[in-house]
Structures are given as structure tokens and as C-alpha cells.
């Protein structure tokens, strides 16, 4: 249940009650430089950390956490740190199911996790979507729909995108589905955000137009 949210420090500013963030980075170095203080602060506050990483990223991720002053082995053993692989999380059975993922994120929320953690701080690496371009439309629609989940919770959710891997049209749509944005290493309220009700109507109109064009061809 949403309650009065204590601000969270992130990328040179503070997250208030709106906590669904897209973060655009040029490199792993930039990503860890910006996010490690936020992650470290979460451990200090006793929050649950859920990190969804690339398939081969786990060893390096653990090393980065250790270099940032976090004991990942102890945190995993206590249940405070949970590391998931993004392809297993988003593409179970080899396909992306929006409804299944909405339920999965509901389960990641602090109101659903065990252990008495006050909040969940969730960081998701989104590289999995570029492996098959057919995932992009579903991803964009999902990123809009999941705002309805985070309206009910105080948890912070950071979706990280490497700019060199995503096309310009996709980046624009991703920006439009997140009320908060990190760009240039700094957190901003996103002036390009479009609420789900409006954005989803637009996406479905696009699909109908593409379908009509294909049929005419």
C-alpha cells in the first residue's frame, strides 16, 4: 500500500513519491558510478536490493558491489540482495509475456517480499530486449503498463539502458514511459512522460495502422 514516501538520494537529486526511473548510460563505468551510491545507501537503510543483470554480468557485478563497500555474499545469504538474470526473468520459456512480468514485479515489491525490508530498490538491465527486435514493441507497452503497479508502492525501480544498443525511436518511447529519467548522470523529472492511459492508446493505434498497411500491401 502506498504511504508517505521518504525521499531517496539518486544521481544528484532525490526521488519523491514517483519512483519509476529510466536511466540512460554510455558505458558500464558510467552506470556503476551513478548507481553505486544509491545501491550502497539502500543497504545502509536496510532495504531489499533486487538486481536484474545480463547473463554474463554476475561475476563483474559482484566485484563492483564489493569495490563499492558492499559485502554481496553476506547480503545474499541474509536475503537482502537478490540477483536475477534478465533473460531468465523477462524471457521465461523464450518469450516475453507482459502480464506475467507485471505479476513478477508486483511480487518484487516490498509489500510482497519476506524478511521485513522497508523498501525494495530494483535495478534492471534492459539489454535483453535488443537480442530480438520483436521484443521492443512489447517492452515499450510493458514499461507504460508497469507504472500502474508502481503507483501502489514506494519501491524505487531503475530500468537501465545502454544508449549505443537502442535505436532513437526506441529511446524516445522509453523516455515517454518513465516519469523520472537519469541522463547525463543526473536525475530529472521527465517532461516527456506520457501517462499509461494516453500512451497505450497511441501504441495500439500504431499497431492497427501497421497491420492495415501490411494487409493493403
Amino acid at each position: 500500500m502506498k504511504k508517505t514516501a521518504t525521499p531517496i538520494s539518486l544521481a544528484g537529486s532525490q526521488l519523491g513519491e514517483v519512483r519509476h526511473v529510466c536511466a540512460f548510460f554510455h558505458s558500464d563505468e558510467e552506470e556503476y558510478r551513478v548507481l553505486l551510491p544509491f545501491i550502497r545507501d539502500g543497504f545502509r537503510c536496510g532495504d531489499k536490493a533486487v538486481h536484474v543483470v545480463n547473463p554474463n554480468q554476475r561475476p563483474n557485478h559482484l566485484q563492483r558491489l564489493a569495490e563499492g563497500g558492499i559485502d554481496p555474499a553476506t547480503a545474499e545469504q541474509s536475503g537482502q540482495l537478490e540477483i536475477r538474470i534478465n533473460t531468465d526473468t523477462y524471457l521465461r520459456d523464450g518469450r516475453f509475456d507482459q502480464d506475467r512480468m507485471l505479476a513478477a514485479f508486483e511480487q518484487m515489491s516490498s509489500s510482497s517480499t519476506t524478511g521485513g525490508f522497508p523498501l525494495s530498490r530494483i535495478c534492471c538491465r534492459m539489454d535483453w530486449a535488443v537480442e530480438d527486435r520483436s521484443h521492443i514493441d512489447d517492452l515499450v507497452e510493458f514499461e507504460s503498463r508497469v507504472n500502474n503497479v508502481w503507483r501502489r508502492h514506494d519501491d524505487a525501480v531503475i530500468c537501465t539502458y545502454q544508449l549505443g544498443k537502442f535505436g532513437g525511436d526506441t529511446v524516445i518511447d522509453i523516455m515517454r514511459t518513465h516519469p523520472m529519467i537519469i541522463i547525463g548522470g543526473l536525475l530529472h523529472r521527465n517532461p516527456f512522460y506520457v501517462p499509461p492511459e494516453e500512451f497505450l492508446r497511441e501504441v495500439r493505434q500504431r499497431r492497427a495502422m501497421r497491420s492495415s498497411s501490411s494487409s493493403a500491401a
Side-chain angles (χ1 to χ4, degrees):
M1 191 72 175
K2 194 115 177 137
K3 51 188 181 293
T4 302
T6 301
I8 293 175
S9 295
L10 173 64
S13 189
Q14 289 190 321
L15 282 175
E17 294 186 359
V18 181
R19 296 182 169 182
H20 184 208
V21 184
C22 60
F24 294 109
F25 299 113
H26 291 283
S27 66
D28 287 353
E29 291 298 328
E30 181 187 16
E31 181 170 338
Y32 282 102
R33 176 178 58 78
V34 172
L35 294 187
L36 264 176
F38 161 80
I39 292 169
R40 188 165 51 238
D41 181 62
F43 282 101
R44 182 185 60 80
C45 294
D47 294 339
K48 171 94 173 187
V50 182
H51 297 167
V52 186
V53 302
N54 291 336
N56 299 320
Q57 189 183 355
R58 178 183 166 90
N60 179 257
H61 186 68
L62 293 174
Q63 181 179 345
R64 298 270 192 169
L65 294 180
E67 291 171 352
I70 297 161
D71 182 347
T74 299
E76 281 193 287
Q77 187 173 18
S78 70
Q80 188 176 14
L81 172 63
E82 180 180 342
I83 298 180
R84 303 186 181 196
I85 302 303
N86 56 11
T87 49
D88 295 339
T89 300
Y90 288 94
L91 299 176
R92 199 173 72 200
D93 304 323
R95 63 189 184 90
F96 180 55
D97 183 318
Q98 292 187 45
D99 292 330
R100 182 181 67 204
M101 283 309 305
L102 289 171
F105 273 97
E106 189 76 57
Q107 291 170 357
M108 290 183 205
S109 70
S110 55
S111 63
S112 299
T113 58
T114 59
F117 300 106
L119 290 176
S120 292
R121 298 192 185 204
I122 304 167
C123 298
C124 299
R125 187 72 175 261
M126 306 303 291
D127 295 3
W128 62 269
V130 300
E131 299 302 320
D132 185 338
R133 300 304 298 180
S134 67
H135 296 318
I136 295 295
D137 282 350
D138 279 338
L139 168 63
V140 167
E141 185 171 344
F142 167 76
E143 286 279 38
S144 185
R145 292 178 67 194
V146 81
N147 284 297
N148 293 323
V149 173
W150 299 125
R151 284 172 179 168
R152 300 192 294 272
H153 303 288
D154 290 326
D155 307 297
V157 186
I158 320 296
C159 306
T160 71
Y161 291 84
Q162 296 275 334
L163 281 167
K165 298 182 178 181
F166 291 86
D169 290 347
T170 301
V171 169
I172 290 170
D173 274 343
I174 293 301
M175 289 176 63
R176 297 175 71 215
T177 58
H178 291 75
M180 303 297 293
I181 184 171
I182 295 173
I183 194 161
L186 296 174
L187 175 71
H188 306 274
R189 183 173 286 276
N190 185 4
F192 303 106
Y193 172 65
V194 178
E197 299 79 9
E198 181 180 344
F199 185 83
L200 292 172
R201 184 167 57 249
E202 177 187 324
V203 166
R204 286 156 189 167
Q205 287 172 348
R206 281 189 218 166
R207 287 183 174 175
M209 289 176 65
R210 283 203 300 265
S211 177
S212 177
S213 297
S214 297
S215 299

